[in-house]
Amino acid sequence: MELIKHTLVEVRGLKLHVAEIGTGISQIPNVSSHIVTYFFMADHAHLLTGPKVVLFLHGFPEIWYTWRYQMNAVAAAGYRAIAIDFRGYGLSEQPAEPEKGNFMDLVDDVVALLDTLGINKVFLIGKDFGSITAYLVAVVHPERVSGLVSLGIPFLLPGPNCIRNDLMPSGFYITRWQEPGRAEADFGRLDVKTVVRNVYILFSGTEPPTARDDQEIMDLVDPSTPLPPWFSEEDLAAYASLYEKSGFRFALQVPYRSLGIDCGITNPKVTAPTLLINGQKDYLLKFAGMEDYTKSEQLKHFVPDLDIVFLDEGNHFVHENLPKQVNELIITFLTKHCN
């Protein structure tokens, strides 16, 4: 990934970490060995306003690095690929009051970032709660979205019925992590690298992580359990180094503790063409009502121009688990809708 460039961009009073590869970049190295800062020259501004820009929005426990395969693939296909660390994640700055964060903060950050970079319209690709953010941007700012790809998440809006915890067992991980202080105590027994490792192992399974009354979520992973074969120790180290910087404080607020906060949107509609890529082995399909909703006509009421693909061997991390197949689907979608 030597060609991926990194910078910090001030957005709404916070510096967000931006990783980028592809066309239209004029580069000026900073003196820092860790960050390369680049600037977009005024006479090249026209390069930034077309539809050939792709913005990737990560989930948890991910970071910009989760898109390493997709960024290189779409850049090779002629697109400008941008991946961010959301506020409070990785190399991005923390908000002053993390416990007050919500999804609309992320929506506003995305739009403000596009404005700062001079990008009028973009393809959004989201995973996990990054998909929820992408859907929200498409609903609230449809003029900014050329198309949308979601990995694993059908159209959902934050609110009381976003995830039906009440229909899941009491030890359901989202219920546990929504309880103030509980995840902090659970995670705090371990180093950051082990927490990320455990979450990757748990989320790679086919069942929603669920603890007994005498267990915490981290107790569900046997320390001798190997990493998934598609996720290396090098990958784990990359994630861990970024979460060591940011911690989990904002990550527990957004998505988990803000999932039930109503975003105030009525009659939502995603008008942009949308592709939903699901791993058939994704544990999210075992959430109460999720698989039925994903395959229902109700979903197309919210997203009329929707195509859905299920990958038989795909799991929750389908873009890392099956990168070649996912990249082909993404590039075919971008080619079809880039005009």
Side-chain angles (χ1 to χ4, degrees):
M1 290 185 292
E2 295 80 13
L3 295 179
I4 295 178
K5 307 303 177 185
H6 300 265
T7 192
L8 297 175
V9 177
E10 184 154 342
V11 174
R12 301 177 62 235
L14 293 175
K15 290 184 174 66
L16 298 187
H17 171 235
V18 177
E20 174 162 6
I21 183 172
T23 58
I25 305 174
S26 179
Q27 301 171 21
I28 302 176
N30 195 343
V31 293
S32 168
S33 61
H34 301 291
I35 298 291
V36 175
T37 303
Y38 49 80
F39 301 89
F40 300 95
M41 314 309 289
D43 58 346
H44 294 305
H46 65 282
L47 293 173
L48 311 181
T49 58
K52 299 200 69 168
V53 183
V54 182
L55 177 62
F56 294 91
L57 304 175
H58 67 80
F60 178 83
E62 297 142 311
I63 219 73
W64 79 268
Y65 180 85
T66 196
W67 301 112
R68 57 201 180 280
Y69 301 119
Q70 287 70 45
M71 291 181 73
N72 282 290
V74 301
Y79 294 84
R80 179 179 171 200
I82 303 170
I84 64 172
D85 292 343
F86 281 121
R87 60 168 54 205
Y89 282 80
L91 297 177
S92 292
E93 290 185 336
Q94 296 281 338
E97 297 179 288
E99 287 75 18
K100 292 185 178 180
N102 60 63
F103 277 89
M104 295 310 295
D105 290 324
L106 307 188
V107 171
D108 293 343
D109 285 350
V110 167
V111 174
L113 176 68
L114 297 179
D115 290 342
T116 299
L117 298 182
I119 299 170
N120 288 339
K121 206 164 186 179
V122 69
F123 285 99
L124 295 176
I125 300 182
K127 155 75 170 57
D128 193 74
F129 81 88
S131 291
I132 298 177
T133 305
Y135 287 130
L136 281 167
V137 173
V139 168
V140 179
H141 302 280
E143 75 284 356
R144 308 302 294 269
V145 181
S146 300
L148 190 156
V149 179
S150 173
L151 303 182
I153 302 290
F155 178 79
L156 295 174
L157 290 183
N161 294 318
C162 181
I163 301 295
R164 294 298 304 272
N165 295 25
D166 58 313
L167 300 179
M168 299 295 288
S170 61
F172 180 45
Y173 78 100
I174 292 180
T175 302
R176 290 289 184 90
W177 290 354
Q178 286 177 337
E179 182 181 331
R182 188 156 192 170
E184 288 88 339
D186 188 14
F187 293 0
R189 298 177 296 153
L190 306 169
D191 60 74
V192 168
K193 187 174 183 179
T194 301
V195 173
V196 175
R197 178 183 182 276
N198 287 355
V199 176
Y200 247 86
I201 290 170
L202 289 170
F203 284 9
S204 297
T206 58
E207 297 293 330
T210 304
R212 300 190 310 264
D213 290 345
D214 62 346
Q215 283 182 311
E216 297 300 331
I217 298 301
M218 290 294 102
D219 297 329
L220 295 174
V221 181
D222 186 317
S224 65
T225 304
L227 289 170
W230 43 266
F231 191 72
S232 69
E233 289 289 343
E234 181 183 6
D235 295 332
L236 176 60
Y239 281 99
S241 67
L242 294 170
Y243 275 99
E244 284 167 356
K245 190 266 181 187
S246 66
F248 300 104
R249 186 178 175 187
F250 189 79
L252 288 168
Q253 176 63 24
V254 182
Y256 297 104
R257 293 171 187 165
S258 58
L259 270 176
I261 299 175
D262 196 306
C263 57
I265 297 173
T266 57
N267 300 317
K269 192 84 71 176
V270 174
T271 57
T274 301
L275 172 65
L276 172 58
I277 303 173
N278 273 101
Q280 189 62 60
K281 296 182 178 181
D282 189 339
Y283 72 90
L284 260 69
L285 292 172
K286 301 288 182 65
F287 283 18
M290 187 66 76
E291 184 165 12
D292 288 344
Y293 171 59
T294 299
K295 296 178 178 179
S296 73
E297 287 301 311
Q298 181 187 7
L299 180 54
K300 291 201 172 185
H301 170 76
F302 299 113
V303 191
D305 191 358
L306 174 67
D307 290 317
I308 305 176
V309 176
F310 281 87
L311 298 179
D312 289 344
E313 296 303 314
N315 62 26
H316 186 63
F317 303 102
V318 64
H319 61 303
E320 294 181 283
N321 163 220
L322 299 173
K324 183 178 179 181
Q325 293 179 54
V326 170
N327 291 350
E328 288 174 353
L329 289 168
I330 288 173
I331 291 169
T332 298
F333 175 84
L334 295 176
T335 302
K336 179 179 178 181
H337 297 289
C338 187
N339 47 43

